[in-house]
Amino acid sequence: MIKKSFIGLKKTHLEYEQLGNKIQAPKKISVSKKITLLLECSIDLIDTFTLKTGDPVKTGQKISPAKDNDAYVISTATGIVTSITEYTGDYGKSYVAISIDTDSEENLDDEFENSCSEITFDLAKNYLACIPGAPCHEIFQNTENPINTIVIYGGDNDLLMTTNQYIIKSNIEGVKHGVDVLKKIAGVDNIIIAIPGESMQGYGHIGAEVKNIAMKYPSASPHMIMRNVLGKVIPAGQTSENLGVTFMTVEAVVSLGDAFSNKRIPITKLITVIDKNQNKKLISARIGTPLSEIFSALNIQLNDKERIIIGGPMTGSTVYTDDYPVMPNTSAIMVQAAKDVSLVSDYPCINCGECIRICPANIPINMLVRFLEAGQYEDAADSYDLYSCIECGLCSIVCTAKIPIFQYIRLGKYELDRINSAEAVNE
Amino acid sequence: MNNQKKFIVSHAPFWHNGSNIRQKSYHTVFAALPAALLGIYYYGIPALGVISLSISSAILWELLMNYATKRSISVGDGNAAMIGLIFGMLLPASMPWWAVITGTFFAIIIGKQIFGGIGSNPFNPAALSIAILMVSWKNYFDFNAALLNYDLDFVMIYPLTLLKQLGSPAADSYSMIDLIMGKQAGGIGSTFGLGLIVGGIYLMIRGFIRWEISVSFLAGIFITSFVFNLVDPVRFVGPAFHIFTGYTLIGAFFLITDDSSSPVNMVPMLIYGAVGGVMIVLIRNIGGYIDGVIMTTLLINLINPLLDKIRPKAMGKVV
């Protein structure tokens, strides 16, 4: 938990966690009895599933159960499918949860091995979308805004986490190999690797341009990297992909390389677990492992009124059950004790200006939040720069009235998207 | 699933720096106390009565309005108590009880609640209420008449009245040390210059008020009165007299810095304060009123929304 400094004139200053030189190997979490895979697709597709409960699956097997739909997950264990249910995530994202009871004996699937003789884009697209780090391959085929630069971020995008830093420090050869593979897959030569902190030694040979990123939050946000490192400001409402730049975590790059060198689809995710006292521990667990398994392996007791956060304290999301599985993009799991849970209030904005002074994007938040509270999202976007928000969450942290500003901003963008897509359908 | 634990689910971010409105209000009250206490020491029980009645009636008006508008009870945030205290500090010690209660009604209900409560008031509630009272019952704000029955060990003529009548020589009647130490006629809590400055600096360092506003306000007064003084040293008194008399210091640290009625961006804050400073000297030197702080506060409150349009360009904004 952070505290406002006694000298209130001083701005709140948050820094990313820096992994020291003492690197401890991550603790391995054994394969749990039951794993859950979340397949991102419309729940209407459940009826067309070819996969049924009782079907056996093998480790590394590609499960693409819906007819006429490419969505797939990679099974991370050998066993029997026990249930196929729907699951709704943040902002109404719909998933199908496939639960698998694991066998004690592990059977490896060799479909990928048989077809990976050559490194191609299609292969990566068809088999490697769910590898740890969750790379997004579709963007490489976008003809409207062809990608010409890939930025690999060698740090973590939220506070307290050290997952990606550990990978780049412990496995620099893996990164080098991953960069080679990535160049072939994406057909992009301009690869930049962004390293947090001062140290830039030892990264010279990995085939990418090395850039330095400040430790101050939120300098690792794509918007800030684009502005400070590449010198391009992303226009409000657009993404870096519109400018031909895409971002990837170093974990995704290493996983890509590993997939082709081991001829196996990587299924083990590296995670920083932050306990109630903010002690950090790196673990490695298979994708699909329920969080409860990780907590019991690390001896973390959970009680009512506590908070489980997927991701870091600034931009993560909470889950309501410890049955929630590890996902390909779960880089951190944070547990917050009941006494540390800060609640929001329904007070109006008192116009103190703390948010204005901390906002890295110069948004007039004091005005914006008034429009968002009233549900006037269009005015908020037109007159008060809703789309300039880079979603760092700093405004909510310093808000004297404890308004959930960041939540209002996300909600505003979400509602506007819904309105816009509804209009597009009607036309 | 029956023994499923109930976790708290909410939206990012999951931290908060712990600041809150109550803390802000009570620290402002704390910073204003030295000046109020010295006023009570000089003017005795009547002053204590005015301040106590002012605070308590302000809280009661707020509570009453909470019930009347069926909103959640907001007296706990301390904002009403803070407004009550500041309002009381502006009054002379001899203010009748009914005028105090009417005043807090204007401050809390007309000045704040009917606009939607905390954060929505376009004017500083205390300043607005004083302005209404000044127009309605002018005599009670004639400090010479109001403090007629007091015979303390300092000059009991209100400095700004004397200034209006005599011009620069008025300053000769007062020693600067007396003015700074609160040995002058005036509102209960608005005469103790040193106490107000210490309180103001405390608030600025703790970040409860913005230094840009107070400093540019005082700089505005200083420079304008300095120029006036240069032009005609007989008619117009120098800067120090302006700064340590009347409502100047309580205005600089407690009135114009009110969150909701002041700007939040850097440049607007500087303009806001400076315009206020210039206006006060203009009113005092060539205007009709004796002290211009209250009217100036309302005036700059009025231009605040316009000023706050001057702001840095948002990142990635396409014009």
Side-chain angles (χ1 to χ4, degrees):
Chain A
M1 197 70 180
I2 47 159
K3 261 260 173 310
K4 186 176 179 177
S5 116
F6 180 82
I7 313 261
L9 262 181
K10 231 172 73 185
K11 267 198 208 165
T12 306
H13 179 95
L14 297 174
E15 286 211 342
Y16 293 102
E17 191 72 21
Q18 199 154 17
L19 191 65
N21 289 324
K22 264 197 268 168
I23 300 178
Q24 263 188 335
K27 181 185 167 83
K28 244 184 133 121
I29 308 287
S30 52
V31 184
S32 76
K33 287 205 177 67
K34 184 179 175 180
I35 63 160
T36 307
L37 304 170
L38 290 183
L39 171 66
E40 194 182 337
C41 73
S42 163
I43 48 170
D44 301 337
L45 291 173
I46 286 193
D47 297 337
T48 72
F49 270 21
T50 49
L51 186 78
K52 296 279 178 267
T53 49
D55 287 359
V57 288
K58 285 194 256 181
T59 307
Q61 183 183 336
K62 177 180 168 180
I63 306 175
S64 176
K67 273 183 194 153
D68 315 321
N69 192 304
D70 293 341
Y72 66 92
V73 283
I74 302 296
S75 170
T76 54
T78 309
I80 308 286
V81 175
T82 52
S83 78
I84 299 174
T85 51
E86 54 195 71
Y87 176 84
T88 309
D90 251 10
Y91 290 96
K93 231 181 196 179
S94 68
Y95 294 94
V96 172
I98 301 168
S99 298
I100 297 165
D101 271 358
T102 54
D103 289 347
S104 48
E105 204 175 315
E106 184 135 58
N107 263 322
L108 299 179
D109 187 84
D110 45 15
E111 194 183 325
F112 180 71
E113 188 179 358
N114 294 338
S115 48
C116 75
S117 50
E118 217 177 320
I119 302 172
T120 63
F121 169 74
D122 284 333
L123 204 58
K125 190 185 164 194
N126 290 334
Y127 289 97
L128 302 179
C130 308
I131 56 173
C136 179
H137 294 108
E138 280 76 20
I139 47 174
F140 297 131
Q141 263 187 344
N142 187 343
T143 45
E144 207 173 298
N145 296 300
I147 298 295
N148 52 41
T149 308
I150 300 173
V151 180
I152 302 169
Y153 186 53
D156 296 273
N157 57 8
D158 207 330
L159 308 175
L160 300 177
M161 298 157 53
T162 50
T163 308
N164 284 297
Q165 283 183 64
Y166 171 80
I167 292 171
I168 200 163
K169 282 205 168 158
S170 63
N171 191 5
I172 190 74
E173 287 309 314
V175 178
K176 183 174 154 39
H177 182 233
V179 169
D180 292 341
V181 172
L182 184 63
K183 281 181 179 170
K184 280 184 195 154
I185 290 173
V188 172
D189 272 338
N190 192 7
I191 292 184
I192 295 169
I193 186 154
I195 309 285
E198 297 300 316
S199 147
M200 284 171 66
Q201 289 159 351
Y203 301 115
H205 64 292
I206 54 178
E209 195 182 340
V210 183
K211 296 277 190 183
N212 198 1
I213 303 280
M215 291 307 286
K216 186 186 171 194
Y217 188 83
S219 45
S221 130
H223 285 79
M224 299 308 269
I225 294 182
M226 283 294 281
R227 191 185 71 179
N228 298 341
V229 176
L230 294 156
K232 295 178 191 166
V233 175
I234 304 176
Q238 294 193 18
T239 59
S240 62
E241 280 78 19
N242 292 104
L243 300 178
V245 182
T246 194
F247 285 79
M248 251 185 170
T249 61
V250 74
E251 186 175 28
V253 175
V254 171
S255 302
L256 267 183
D258 286 353
F260 286 100
S261 54
N262 302 338
K263 297 192 186 301
R264 293 266 171 235
I265 301 174
I267 49 173
T268 314
K269 179 83 185 83
L270 197 69
I271 304 164
T272 311
V273 180
I274 304 152
D275 73 6
K276 291 176 204 171
N277 300 323
Q278 287 188 21
N279 297 321
K280 283 137 286 206
K281 186 138 185 80
L282 274 174
I283 58 147
S284 72
R286 290 205 178 174
I287 292 168
T289 309
L291 301 188
S292 51
E293 293 282 330
I294 296 171
F295 295 142
S296 58
L298 292 182
N299 224 351
I300 295 175
Q301 301 291 330
L302 281 169
N303 304 311
D304 278 359
K305 292 183 182 173
E306 296 188 327
R307 211 151 46 178
I308 304 175
I309 301 158
I310 305 291
M314 302 296 288
T315 56
S317 61
T318 46
V319 290
Y320 57 82
T321 164
D322 55 6
D323 291 336
Y324 189 83
V326 170
M327 298 275 283
N329 59 359
T330 306
S331 289
I333 300 165
M334 181 171 166
V335 182
Q336 219 172 18
K339 67 175 171 48
D340 294 331
V341 170
S342 60
L343 299 174
V344 296
S345 86
D346 58 354
Y347 253 74
C349 170
I350 61 163
N351 211 38
C352 65
E354 293 290 335
C355 49
I356 300 284
R357 285 182 279 277
I358 206 164
C359 179
N362 289 333
I363 297 172
I365 302 167
N366 62 330
M367 296 305 294
L368 177 69
V369 75
R370 284 158 211 255
F371 283 84
L372 294 176
E373 273 180 332
Q376 296 175 347
Y377 304 122
E378 268 133 352
D379 286 336
D382 293 344
S383 312
Y384 296 103
D385 305 317
L386 175 63
Y387 281 116
S388 290
C389 177
I390 66 166
E391 309 203 343
C392 64
L394 284 170
C395 48
S396 292
I397 277 196
V398 299
C399 182
T400 309
K402 291 192 176 168
I403 303 172
I405 307 172
F406 185 30
Q407 186 172 6
Y408 274 126
I409 289 176
R410 292 273 298 271
L411 180 68
K413 287 183 175 177
Y414 172 74
E415 289 293 336
L416 277 178
D417 277 353
R418 272 189 8 167
I419 294 168
N420 291 341
S421 52
E423 276 171 2
V425 168
N426 286 341
E427 271 164 17
Chain B
M1 290 296 262
N2 288 337
N3 53 4
Q4 180 68 258
K5 286 179 185 128
K6 291 183 181 64
F7 299 118
I8 289 185
V9 184
S10 63
H11 196 274
F14 304 104
W15 281 349
H16 191 271
N17 71 357
S19 60
N20 57 51
I21 297 175
R22 194 160 63 188
Q23 183 191 32
K24 199 172 181 125
S25 302
Y26 289 140
H27 279 274
T28 311
V29 168
F30 174 69
L33 273 184
L37 289 177
L38 192 81
I40 292 170
Y41 170 74
Y42 281 145
Y43 299 109
I45 294 298
L48 181 65
V50 168
I51 297 251
S52 308
L53 184 63
S54 174
I55 297 176
S56 52
S57 61
I59 294 174
L60 283 175
W61 283 124
E62 172 114 344
L63 192 65
L64 209 67
M65 200 61 182
N66 287 155
Y67 283 123
T69 53
K70 298 195 174 70
R71 294 173 76 157
S72 51
I73 305 299
S74 61
V75 290
D77 65 22
N79 188 259
M82 185 197 88
I83 294 173
L85 176 66
I86 306 289
F87 176 75
M89 286 165 69
L90 296 167
L91 297 175
S94 59
M95 206 66 181
W97 62 269
W98 51 267
V100 177
I101 294 178
T102 321
T104 50
F105 169 83
F106 284 127
I108 297 294
I109 299 200
I110 308 291
K112 178 180 149 193
Q113 286 292 347
I114 59 168
F115 289 106
I118 187 169
S120 310
N121 49 301
F123 301 106
N124 181 308
L128 181 76
S129 169
I130 291 284
I132 295 175
L133 293 196
M134 272 179 165
V135 173
S136 311
W137 300 296
K138 214 160 135 192
N139 295 342
Y140 289 110
F141 284 92
D142 179 348
F143 286 100
N144 291 328
L147 302 177
L148 200 61
N149 293 328
Y150 281 96
D151 188 19
L152 301 174
D153 59 344
F154 48 80
V155 187
M156 286 307 292
I157 304 172
Y158 189 50
L160 292 175
T161 320
L162 205 59
L163 180 69
K164 262 283 172 315
Q165 291 162 351
L166 302 181
S168 196
D172 302 338
S173 316
Y174 305 90
S175 87
M176 194 43 77
I177 297 294
D178 278 0
L179 291 182
I180 293 172
M181 294 312 293
K183 294 190 172 184
Q184 55 169 316
I188 297 168
S190 45
T191 55
F192 184 23
L194 184 68
L196 290 167
I197 291 175
V198 169
I201 289 176
Y202 171 77
L203 290 179
M204 289 193 286
I205 289 176
R206 292 295 311 270
F208 294 119
I209 63 171
R210 292 310 300 176
W211 64 268
E212 291 94 334
I213 295 177
S214 301
V215 169
S216 65
F217 179 78
L218 292 174
I221 294 182
F222 189 92
I223 293 169
T224 319
S225 55
F226 186 70
V227 171
F228 266 105
N229 187 237
L230 276 186
V231 172
D232 190 347
V234 180
R235 239 180 100 199
F236 305 118
V237 76
F241 190 77
H242 278 293
I243 286 176
F244 289 105
T245 54
Y247 289 147
T248 309
L249 287 169
I250 194 170
F253 298 116
F254 295 94
L255 293 182
I256 65 164
T257 51
D258 173 51
D259 280 327
S260 143
S261 49
S262 66
V264 292
N265 290 302
M266 179 81 173
V267 176
M269 282 196 283
L270 294 174
I271 301 177
Y272 171 88
V275 167
V278 172
M279 279 305 297
I280 280 174
V281 180
L282 286 180
I283 291 176
R284 283 184 184 176
N285 280 353
I286 52 176
Y289 289 98
I290 291 171
D291 188 358
V293 175
I294 298 297
M295 293 307 169
T296 302
T297 306
L298 298 183
L299 180 85
I300 53 179
N301 285 168
L302 205 59
I303 60 169
N304 151 46
L306 198 62
L307 281 180
D308 233 2
K309 296 236 179 261
I310 307 171
R311 53 181 161 91
K313 196 178 134 201
M315 196 162 122
K317 184 175 186 171
V318 193
V319 185

